[in-house]
Amino acid sequence: MNSTPQNPPAPLTYEQAGVNYDLIDPLKVAAQRAAAATAVHLAAHGFSEVKASRGESAYVVDVGPFYLASIVECLGSKTLVADDMHKLTGKSYYDTIAQDTIAMAINDLITVGATPLVVQAYWAAGGSDWFGDAQRSQALVAGWKRACDVCGVAWGGGETPALAGIVEGGRIDLAASCTGLINPKERLSVGDKLAPGDAIVLLASSGIHANGLSLARKLAERLPQGYLTPMSDGTTYGEALLAPTTLYSPVTEGLFKAGVMPHYCANITGHGWRKLLRHPSSLGYRIHTVPKVPPVLQFIQAQAHHDDREAYSTLNMGAGFAIFVDAKDAQRTVDVAKAQGIDAIIAGVVEAGAKQLVIEPLGVTFGDDALNLR
Amino acid sequence: MNSTPQNPPAPLTYEQAGVNYDLIDPLKVAAQRAAAATAVHLAAHGFSEVKASRGESAYVVDVGPFYLASIVECLGSKTLVADDMHKLTGKSYYDTIAQDTIAMAINDLITVGATPLVVQAYWAAGGSDWFGDAQRSQALVAGWKRACDVCGVAWGGGETPALAGIVEGGRIDLAASCTGLINPKERLSVGDKLAPGDAIVLLASSGIHANGLSLARKLAERLPQGYLTPMSDGTTYGEALLAPTTLYSPVTEGLFKAGVMPHYCANITGHGWRKLLRHPSSLGYRIHTVPKVPPVLQFIQAQAHHDDREAYSTLNMGAGFAIFVDAKDAQRTVDVAKAQGIDAIIAGVVEAGAKQLVIEPLGVTFGDDALNLR
């Protein structure tokens, strides 16, 4: 067998891989406007929203003694890789898939400074028979519990509907909701503290995490050996894709215990490094050091014929989570992350001036128009 | 055309309609055990779970000044009826479908005494193109907002993934998560106050709500006119099925303002009236008055050849929500509901003795083994 996969004839764009944001975005805008108009209801209970959290990764309400943060997040299409790999290897990957799902919710919730407290499971299967595969079901349960243990959250319960006719037969739609508290209230990080001179610390990713999977799956179809194509480090493409998403809440909790208050955080998910432009202010982000790119992401970039600009605008490229801190706290932030077993680097600095992200080592710049989430 | 549909040859069971709880329940038990073991994590934050909320409709954590309640709930298969009816009538029913989805979460959350504060939307479509139908998308947004307005909750945000390969093309998997507070803490109603002599107040349903739709859809296949079959009140079967689920939080909030503290609540969803047996204690529930059955549920019972036992163990049969209150508060509870435009009756009484539900007017009794949720 040939271990060098045939090169595809042309670059593979994210849109070719099946996700058309142009169709989704008008709905998102309409929903965001309608949602914003409902905030007034909180006053009847003596509460108020933290308006700056609109457009952030989690929604925050001021309930008096502390802030309440909540979120619901979808895993996406990573289960399709797990299902295909199960056919090829006979292994169930749903223990790590569970971690991916929880990571999607937890890693977003912590960006606002929240301690995650309760996770709810949303497991919508294509039919009751999905749950009849005891090995797979038990893997999902065991992985879900382990991820809760890592994050120190209580698994409150959840929903396990059988949705024949809506979810495809043999498939499962996984999501997680998460509720947390920002306590003490000084931990709130919705961006008002972010300022020129702040350091940008990037926490290592474990691989593709759970964003960019549509592209990664499309690519597998082009490879003669598909998911069994060997990577540079000896693992297969499929196994490498299924490395579970890193859970970052042990780092943010560790920072609080160490007395470090992040000024802002960004979870690097869809839109890749453009997520570093999430903060609404006019600020520049100059990256002087990029993290090591996991072999699976190097492989995807090469096989999809993506230049750095395209790759960094779609994939996490080794940076799963960004923490913006006072420059004096930068090294301590790195140390706290490493103490939790998560690699980290001081990657850059926040600057006054036009909103842009400059990745110096790559000669890549993303402007103000690169990310439109609000 | 013949408006009297042909009778089916045999009764249609819920299992024939495609939901096999025997396959799902072992997973649920395993998940519940694993989930219960994670409660210890709350202690690290100085909090603790309200253990009695395990097995209830919402999970409750004691965070000091108040209790925090959270939940995620799936709409189920009601969208399939909306999609079929859209083909037949050209109308979009997604405004009421949005209310159904929110009702699934809100009506569960309030059972523990919580004031719902924040709702998150989970709209997972079979592809980006689902969101390209502007009329349908706008109906979903408008209905979602209106339901939030009725319940006085803030719509925090949500997730609108395109899940081709997991969710079927042209379909959408709808769910809602909800977070609320039990404040003051005396409002907590997880069952410790329930006692013999308490009155059972039943709040009227608007129709099938969002449970029993698998059965209702199967039945439509047997009807010569399908969803366009006329009901006794002149509406079609499809239109009647799509009556939006009643939102009950205005009643529970009204009760609090009126100084009535429910001892326990049960949201009548899957398993129909067997949900009245939800409380774990050994108590009897004697029903002396049953509410009026909505025409669509009468129709389903007749067409599916269900006796009362089968019908009341599957469908809400006119009772969407049960409130157990001190006998002296029973009439006031009815009055508060009616002031919110929701019909209500004092339907029965809680008794000491063996756990059972006796529906006297129908001669139907459900024993301790009729509901196994824990």
Side-chain angles (χ1 to χ4, degrees), chain A residues 20 27-28 38 41 54 70 73-74 115 120 122 128 131 149 152-153 155 159-160 163 166 168 173, chain B residues 20 27-28 38 41 45 54 68 70 73-74 120 122 128 131 149 152-153 155 159-160 163 166 168 173:
Chain A
N20 183 349
L27 168 83
K28 277 197 168 181
T38 61
H41 297 312
R54 292 263 175 212
S70 62
E73 280 294 322
C74 177
T115 300
Q120 303 279 353
Y122 183 76
S128 318
F131 301 108
D149 290 341
V153 299
W155 176 4
E159 179 82 336
T160 54
L163 293 182
I166 296 173
E168 301 229 12
D173 176 18
Chain B
N20 183 350
L27 168 83
K28 277 197 169 182
T38 61
H41 298 310
H45 311 294
R54 292 265 175 211
L68 179 67
S70 63
E73 280 294 322
C74 177
Q120 303 280 354
Y122 183 77
S128 319
F131 301 108
D149 290 339
V153 300
W155 176 4
E159 179 83 336
T160 54
L163 294 181
I166 296 173
E168 302 231 12
D173 176 18

Side-chain angles (χ1 to χ4, degrees), chain B residues 55-109:
Chain B
E56 292 299 327
S57 297
Y59 182 64
V60 183
V61 173
D62 187 345
V63 295
F66 27 63
Y67 295 108
L68 179 67
S70 63
I71 195 168
V72 67
E73 280 294 322
C74 177
L75 170 62
S77 64
K78 197 164 178 173
T79 53
L80 297 178
V81 180
D83 293 346
D84 283 349
M85 281 295 285
H86 177 258
K87 280 187 209 130
L88 294 169
T89 69
K91 283 169 61 181
S92 174
Y93 298 86
Y94 274 83
D95 53 345
T96 58
I97 284 289
Q99 176 170 330
D100 286 308
T101 309
I102 290 186
M104 293 300 277
I106 293 270
N107 292 348
D108 262 4
L109 191 88

Side-chain angles (χ1 to χ4, degrees), chain B residues 4 11 15 128 141 345:
Chain B
T4 309
E15 184 147 332
S128 319
V141 169
I345 58 169

Side-chain angles (χ1 to χ4, degrees), chain B residues 1 15 181 203 212 220 227 232 285 317 358:
Chain B
M1 285 202 294
E15 184 147 332
L181 296 181
L203 307 187
Y227 288 121
S232 60
Y285 307 91
M317 299 308 278
V358 181

Side-chain angles (χ1 to χ4, degrees), chain B residues 283-325:
Chain B
L283 286 168
Y285 307 91
R286 184 167 300 272
I287 303 295
H288 51 67
T289 311
V290 293
K292 198 163 143 270
V293 181
V296 68
L297 299 182
Q298 290 176 23
F299 179 83
I300 291 171
Q301 178 176 12
Q303 293 297 322
H305 290 225
H306 283 178
D307 58 19
D308 285 337
R309 184 181 179 78
E310 179 86 13
Y312 280 76
S313 72
T314 309
L315 303 167
N316 70 60
M317 299 308 278
F321 197 87
I323 303 179
F324 303 77
V325 290

Side-chain angles (χ1 to χ4, degrees), chain B residues 266-280:
Chain B
N267 187 17
I268 312 297
T269 54
H271 304 92
W273 281 42
R274 288 180 286 164
K275 278 279 165 73
L276 294 171
L277 290 162
R278 180 156 206 147
H279 192 276

